[in-house]
Amino acid sequence: AKALASDPSEDVQRIAKELSVVFGDGHAMEEIKALATDDKATIEARQQAIHTLVEAREESVAPLLQNLLNHRELGIAAVRGLAAVHHPDTGKILVERFSSFYPPTKFEAANTLASRVEFALLMVQGVADKQVDRQYISPFLLRQMQTLGNESLTSKVNELWPELKQIS
């Protein structure tokens, strides 16, 4: 749960703005986008702004999130947001930029990439092409990808990680 402001009217204003964004108020959306990218705002305020934008399920938020992928404190929130808004280029962008992420963001990107067949295929190809460092792909994620039920993916995982035996 989020801490309440010392002034209750601030909480009412914040909640009203978040609801405006969720229900499609373009002006409120722009204000929240501005907060998410404001380097002078607190990390907590920026994370909340990202969360609000993602809740609105607005695909136009994807470029903003893509610009935050390399931010030390906001990279994880950006990856999670991109996964939630279902932008068509998310998998490709995460693989292409993987090596430039901070380590915690790399782990989050690997988790996201392992969650869907189309993303996982891109990630294992990224490992093969040396774009994605295999150290960030845990045995758990390898098993998860095998359970996605895609023959091509399972074959590629087995090829790249021959030490891993398929669970019967």
Side-chain angles (χ1 to χ4, degrees), residues 30-94:
E30 291 309 312
E31 286 182 31
I32 297 293
K33 283 180 182 178
L35 176 59
T37 59
D38 183 356
D39 289 334
K40 293 182 181 109
T42 66
I43 293 300
E44 293 77 19
R46 293 177 75 184
Q47 287 173 329
Q48 182 59 43
I50 291 168
H51 177 76
T52 300
L53 292 167
V54 171
E55 284 294 308
R57 301 283 189 237
E58 178 83 23
E59 194 174 298
S60 71
V61 75
L64 178 145
L65 296 171
Q66 292 164 3
N67 287 334
L68 294 175
L69 285 170
N70 292 91
H71 191 282
R72 182 181 296 271
E73 291 91 0
L74 299 174
I76 291 172
V79 170
R80 289 178 181 162
L82 282 171
V85 298
H86 302 290
H87 189 272
D89 293 332
T90 294
K92 181 177 145 217
I93 289 167
L94 292 178

Side-chain angles (χ1 to χ4, degrees), residues 17-30 55-56 58:
K17 186 165 296 215
E18 289 176 10
L19 286 171
S20 295
V21 169
V22 171
F23 289 106
D25 179 334
H27 181 68
M29 178 78 73
E30 291 309 312
E55 284 294 308
E58 178 83 23

Side-chain angles (χ1 to χ4, degrees), residues 128-168:
D129 296 341
K130 308 268 190 260
Q131 285 183 295
V132 174
D133 187 341
R134 63 190 296 133
Q135 79 172 1
Y136 292 97
I137 305 170
S138 69
F140 173 79
L141 291 181
L142 293 169
R143 298 282 188 217
Q144 179 181 328
M145 288 188 288
Q146 287 179 321
T147 63
L148 290 174
N150 181 282
E151 250 182 72
S152 177
L153 176 60
T154 299
S155 173
K156 194 74 170 168
V157 166
N158 290 338
E159 176 187 325
L160 291 169
W161 287 272
E163 68 278 9
L164 186 71
K165 300 288 184 211
Q166 174 68 33
I167 299 173
S168 63

